[in-house]
Amino acid sequence: MINLQPYSNPNYFMILLAALLPIMIGLYFGRRLKIYEALFTFSFLVLTFGGDHWHQGVALIIYTIYQVGLTMGFERYRRTKNQTSIFVSTVLLSILPLVIVKFTPLFPNDHSFNIGFLGISYLTFKTVQVIMELRDGTIKEISWQQYLQFLLFFPTISSGPIDRYRRFIKDYDHVPDRKTYLADVDQAVFYLFQGFLYKYILGYIFGTLLLPNVSQAALSQRYALGGTGISWYLLAYMYVYSMYLFFDFAGYSLFAVSISYFMGIKTPMNFNKPFLAHNIKEFWNRWHMTLSFWFRDFIFMRFTFWVMKHHWVKNRVRMSQLAYLVNFLVMGFWHGITWYYIVYGLFHAAAIILNDYWLRYKKKHADQIPHNKWTEGLAIFATFNIVCFSFLIFSGFLNQLWF
């Protein structure tokens, strides 16, 4: 059986675009072919999780049945007397499979909990979001058919972007007029070619041509120096890896958004010139935006409200700092149970807390601090280097140098 990873090679795009034609023709004539879209999704899930990855396919089926049943059960019983206990239990149960998957690598000889599959994190983010918004009342009702379509929307299933249920269903239930759809197709074509530029040209240059060379040179220089001195190749590795990480992931995200637009679904963008950010807070409003905003809404804000409700911290500044720490620590653990992912999360928590101190100081002494194109350039330069250093931590390359 053919097995293709999403957006992995030219053959994949040829099959994908051919399969999209009936959907596009239907939308052009004002109809959404929902049965065909369901068959389209099923076919590409088989291509992704079939063949050698059949065990991931089985895990996806079990996971989907589990999450749909959990969410629909919560939707039915959320207004009972023990609604808080039911809500907390449902959220914990929804993230349980992901927690098991993240902790499984700590037990490399134990394969009994091999329940992971490509995209489990992003599906979990979707389920938690729906459960929390059902609790809040922002989602009034939900059908299992629409929920299934949202959960398994193929262009974004493996690595996002992370859409929101209400926004997705609004697009799914609404067929754009012909003029609007043609504009969407034009945008989709632009994103598709931009994705090719990012992932297959720039990503290839930085990830395949440059990264192995600078990593080997950094390791060689490290051994030659006997663990002393500055490795300039390590600095080169930091910048090259940062560029590769951006172009590879941004390229993938552009593909996902492009295919979504072809299908009449305006999946939100994931990146907005993040390396032009003036500070670390602005960076997180530009980098992997759907993930950043998900953590803001469902970790940072929820933790803040919980602290306020229980009067744990009265000082609002200290409360926000504690929330940042929890937010980025959770993000670090989500990436993986290794020291460099956790340090990466703590690094960004510290950076954003220090940034808040600076912004408050800057506001208080606005008349004493110059603001012009030179200071803006300095802010962008400093933020860029701070971010690149965090990506060096994230890469795990320091682990190779030190251990």
Side-chain angles (χ1 to χ4, degrees):
M1 179 182 291
I2 296 174
N3 178 262
L4 291 174
Q5 295 303 296
Y7 317 121
S8 57
N9 58 54
N11 290 334
Y12 183 88
F13 284 95
M14 291 175 63
I15 297 171
L16 180 61
L17 293 174
L20 279 173
L21 279 177
I23 297 174
M24 296 172 63
I25 293 171
L27 290 170
Y28 179 81
F29 288 104
R31 293 184 59 195
R32 182 175 292 283
L33 308 178
K34 293 186 177 182
I35 295 178
Y36 178 81
E37 286 191 18
L39 293 173
F40 168 86
T41 296
F42 175 77
S43 299
F44 276 89
L45 287 176
V46 170
L47 283 176
T48 302
F49 298 105
D52 294 338
H53 295 168
W54 66 268
H55 58 282
Q56 290 194 31
V58 173
L60 172 63
I61 293 171
I62 296 172
Y63 174 90
T64 302
I65 294 171
Y66 172 79
Q67 294 289 11
V68 171
L70 197 63
T71 304
M72 300 311 298
F74 177 73
E75 197 272 342
R76 180 175 180 179
Y77 295 107
R78 58 184 162 146
R79 296 187 180 90
T80 59
K81 291 182 179 180
N82 298 322
Q83 56 181 289
T84 300
S85 299
I86 292 175
F87 167 68
V88 172
S89 299
T90 305
V91 170
L92 292 176
L93 287 172
S94 70
I95 66 173
L96 180 61
L98 179 60
V99 172
I100 293 173
V101 168
K102 292 299 181 180
F103 276 91
T104 295
L106 297 180
F107 308 96
N109 296 322
D110 184 0
H111 302 288
S112 60
F113 293 109
N114 188 14
I115 62 172
F117 58 88
L118 183 68
I120 187 172
S121 290
Y122 295 93
L123 266 63
T124 301
F125 292 145
K126 286 183 175 182
T127 58
V128 171
Q129 173 241 314
V130 169
I131 291 168
M132 288 190 172
E133 292 195 342
L134 279 170
R135 164 65 184 265
D136 296 343
T138 50
I139 296 177
K140 303 300 181 184
E141 59 182 3
I142 188 172
S143 70
W144 70 266
Q145 296 95 331
Q146 286 183 326
Y147 183 53
L148 200 61
Q149 184 66 36
F150 167 70
L151 203 60
L152 299 179
F153 183 58
F154 184 73
T156 63
I157 192 172
S158 59
S159 297
I162 307 167
D163 209 346
R164 301 297 175 93
Y165 179 80
R166 288 176 294 156
R167 200 220 62 76
F168 174 87
I169 293 301
K170 183 179 179 181
D171 280 359
Y172 185 71
D173 288 341
H174 170 73
V175 178
D177 60 74
R178 183 172 296 180
K179 183 178 179 181
T180 301
Y181 181 63
L182 289 176
D184 290 345
V185 170
D186 183 64
Q187 195 69 56
V189 172
F190 175 79
Y191 288 148
L192 186 65
F193 281 97
Q194 188 179 11
F196 277 115
L197 172 64
Y198 277 21
K199 187 171 179 65
Y200 291 114
I201 298 178
L202 297 174
Y204 175 80
I205 291 172
F206 285 105
T208 303
L209 298 182
L210 296 178
L211 193 60
N213 293 326
V214 295
S215 63
Q216 186 59 46
L219 289 169
S220 298
Q221 189 178 51
R222 175 71 172 176
Y223 297 142
L225 293 172
T228 61
I230 298 175
S231 173
W232 296 108
Y233 283 110
L234 179 60
L235 192 64
Y237 179 92
M238 180 180 80
Y239 291 122
V240 170
Y241 177 80
S242 297
M243 293 300 101
Y244 162 68
L245 186 66
F246 168 69
F247 286 119
D248 183 74
F249 194 18
Y252 170 90
S253 295
L254 284 165
F255 289 145
V257 171
S258 171
I259 302 307
S260 299
Y261 270 58
F262 280 126
M263 297 178 69
I265 304 292
K266 294 185 178 180
T267 293
M269 293 293 289
N270 232 0
F271 295 89
N272 179 25
K273 302 176 182 177
F275 293 136
L276 294 180
H278 292 75
N279 56 63
I280 200 69
K281 197 170 188 177
E282 184 184 343
F283 170 80
W284 280 107
N285 288 328
R286 292 168 171 261
W287 175 273
H288 204 346
M289 294 184 291
T290 59
L291 177 70
S292 177
F293 297 158
W294 189 94
F295 269 84
R296 177 198 65 191
D297 295 344
F298 300 109
I299 301 293
F300 179 86
M301 295 302 298
R302 304 283 168 158
F303 179 79
T304 300
F305 291 150
W306 185 69
V307 170
M308 289 175 62
K309 180 180 178 180
H310 291 85
H311 306 288
W312 277 21
V313 181
K314 295 182 179 180
N315 186 295
R316 289 184 176 272
V317 174
R318 298 291 177 267
M319 182 167 55
S320 67
Q321 291 172 347
L322 181 61
Y324 281 130
L325 181 62
V326 170
N327 185 76
F328 283 100
L329 191 58
V330 171
M331 184 181 289
F333 274 103
W334 165 67
H335 279 105
I337 314 299
T338 57
W339 72 263
Y340 43 86
Y341 289 142
I342 297 167
V343 170
Y344 168 81
L346 292 173
F347 179 88
H348 274 282
I352 207 165
I353 289 170
L354 290 173
N355 179 72
D356 271 4
Y357 275 120
W358 164 247
L359 291 178
R360 284 195 300 273
Y361 178 86
K362 186 178 177 182
K363 183 177 180 180
K364 187 176 181 180
H365 301 86
D367 56 333
Q368 303 173 20
I369 300 175
H371 180 79
N372 52 53
K373 63 179 182 179
W374 301 107
T375 58
E376 285 197 4
L378 180 61
I380 293 172
F381 177 76
T383 303
F384 172 72
N385 281 277
I386 290 169
V387 167
C388 287
F389 180 71
S390 76
F391 288 156
L392 175 62
I393 298 171
F394 178 85
S395 71
F397 187 64
L398 294 177
N399 203 49
Q400 298 182 47
L401 292 177
W402 293 346
F403 302 105

